[in-house]
Amino acid sequence: MPVTEFELIQRYFSREGQPRSDVVLGIGDDAALLNPPAGQQLVIAIDTLVQGVHFPANTLPYGIGWKALAVNLSDLAAMGAEPAWFTLALTLPESSEAWLTEFSRGLFDLANQYGLSLVGGDTTRGPLTVTVQIAGYVPTGQALLRAGAGPGDRVFVTGSLGDATLALQLLTGQLPVPAQNYPGLLKRLNQPQPRIEEGRALGGIASCAIDISDGLLADLQHMLDASDVGAEIYLPQIPYSTKARQLLNRYPDIRNSLLSGGDDYELCFCVAPDKLQRLEQIAAENQFQFTEIGQVSDTKELRCLDAAGQVVEIGTRGYTHFAKDR
Ligand code: ADP
Ligand code: MG
């Protein structure tokens, strides 16, 4: 049964989890009214998912709802921010109740993990497109930027890399293994877990940070460019999940794709030598998984080294929507 726009907003998007004291007025008026706390800076990010571009047409609506918010949370994580509210611009080909039920369930399952409020949005008809704008706070002057790395800083990543891009390769038949044998990889593609706690804890410790959405090498390069430095990355130290390692052992050719495929939503950050002890401390206290993968150099070049210390050329560096050769 199709629902009207008004019913749709009421039924699927007007349910708050825990009401927030900083939301004066949420959904229902012409605009939302919010009270940002004193002494904090507002941090805002926006990201769009387009069917067929950011997710395959047969992606389950639960995962679309989850991921639309997750990719935005990941940007706030990379700034070291605490997320607070979000808005949703939804373009739908039809108002299917079954689809909306699952989409909003995925969206709110993640929103409720962080006590986020959906405070407004827009609903239109057209090809399936989901835009989430997110807002949060960071103590004034404490945000983690892409610029700030200095020579001698160590380069770290959170979690493990490549699972999501492997899942996509399984789904599209690029690897001759049934995708359903790898539910863990599929979950990392459809339900990435943003590194909010890690990002917030890195304030005052990391010299810079970025979230990995377009592949490690591409996003690391952005951070190095912003910091006007280079880096050496030790390929044997890159963290992979057990499943990714199994596939890598069987199909060694996929290694480059793990570093240049996208959708990891891990953080990459740098830490100056005098802050390494504090980093170890917060990692131990919070059971954060941080892996050192290299070191910042003053060469302005990004070089990948193998176990023997030899430079390895890695081709494609990340996904781009408007590359010259596409
Ligand atoms: P207006 O015509 O004044 O722009 P709308 O009819 O677009 O108002 O929206 C009415 C209310 O519902 C607003 O508070 C708006 O933020 C909210 N809203 C509309 N679509 C969504 C959505 N997809 N998710 C959350 N809130 C929405
Ligand atoms: Mg409107």
Side-chain angles (χ1 to χ4, degrees):
M1 264 273 288
V3 288
T4 68
E5 183 185 325
F6 177 76
E7 288 170 335
L8 183 156
I9 298 165
Q10 272 294 318
R11 208 175 291 170
Y12 299 103
F13 299 116
S14 298
R15 48 163 155 140
E16 272 209 64
Q18 283 292 354
R20 294 180 60 98
S21 60
D22 50 11
V23 178
V24 184
L25 209 53
I27 291 174
D29 215 303
D30 294 312
L33 259 185
L34 308 163
N35 265 346
Q40 310 257 332
Q41 288 174 307
L42 204 52
V43 185
I44 300 212
I46 186 166
D47 253 318
T48 296
L49 300 186
V50 180
Q51 175 169 289
V53 178
H54 299 94
F55 57 88
N58 58 1
T59 303
L60 294 174
Y62 182 94
I64 299 171
W66 177 289
K67 192 161 176 178
L69 184 57
V71 300
N72 280 279
L73 281 168
S74 181
D75 281 322
L76 253 57
M79 300 298 288
E82 173 189 357
W85 326 292
F86 65 107
T87 57
L88 168 69
L90 193 56
T91 304
L92 295 172
E94 56 176 354
S95 62
S96 145
E97 288 191 79
W99 193 92
L100 283 159
T101 300
E102 280 304 289
F103 172 83
S104 60
R105 200 166 65 81
L107 185 77
F108 283 104
D109 274 357
L110 183 58
N112 293 339
Q113 265 190 26
Y114 296 101
L116 300 187
S117 274
L118 176 58
V119 295
D122 197 22
T123 308
T124 49
R125 184 185 288 256
L128 181 57
T129 305
V130 186
T131 300
V132 168
Q133 182 176 49
I134 194 161
Y137 316 121
V138 67
T140 301
Q142 291 274 296
L144 300 172
L145 310 183
R146 292 181 177 188
D153 285 7
R154 308 297 157 76
V155 183
F156 288 85
V157 291
T158 60
S160 64
L161 301 181
D163 281 355
T165 199
L166 280 176
L168 202 57
Q169 289 177 41
L170 294 173
L171 288 173
T172 54
Q174 291 174 63
L175 283 175
V177 196
Q180 66 269 24
N181 293 1
Y182 292 87
L185 298 184
L186 294 174
K187 189 161 181 200
R188 295 235 27 216
L189 177 66
N190 294 317
Q191 276 169 258
Q193 190 63 53
R195 303 301 183 190
I196 290 291
E197 292 84 1
E198 287 85 341
R200 291 186 65 194
L202 287 170
I205 297 176
S207 50
C208 58
I210 192 166
D211 73 312
I212 307 175
S213 53
D214 297 327
L216 170 70
L217 296 180
D219 288 314
L220 172 60
Q221 185 70 62
H222 293 146
M223 192 163 66
L224 297 173
D225 288 345
S227 300
D228 207 21
V229 291
E232 289 191 335
I233 297 303
Y234 315 124
L235 294 177
Q237 281 174 228
I238 306 270
Y240 299 115
S241 67
T242 310
K243 291 291 178 197
R245 218 167 262 291
Q246 280 171 9
L247 288 169
L248 189 55
N249 288 339
R250 251 163 89 187
Y251 309 102
D253 289 351
I254 65 176
R255 195 205 40 208
N256 289 7
S257 74
L258 301 187
L259 304 176
S260 54
D263 273 352
D264 291 306
Y265 300 106
E266 297 289 358
L267 300 181
C268 180
F269 58 95
C270 296
V271 177
D274 65 334
K275 300 271 173 65
L276 289 171
Q277 222 179 342
R278 284 196 54 206
L279 183 75
E280 251 176 59
Q281 222 171 21
I282 62 158
E285 279 167 12
N286 300 285
Q287 295 179 317
F288 291 148
Q289 199 188 328
F290 296 149
T291 306
E292 187 176 331
I293 60 164
Q295 189 161 336
V296 176
S297 64
D298 54 11
T299 60
K300 300 198 184 168
E301 231 189 304
L302 171 53
R303 303 197 311 158
C304 296
L305 307 180
D306 65 14
Q310 296 294 310
V311 174
V312 180
E313 287 306 328
I314 296 189
T316 3
R317 286 187 173 178
Y319 184 81
T320 166
H321 285 270
F322 296 104
K324 291 199 182 87
D325 58 357
R326 291 180 82 228

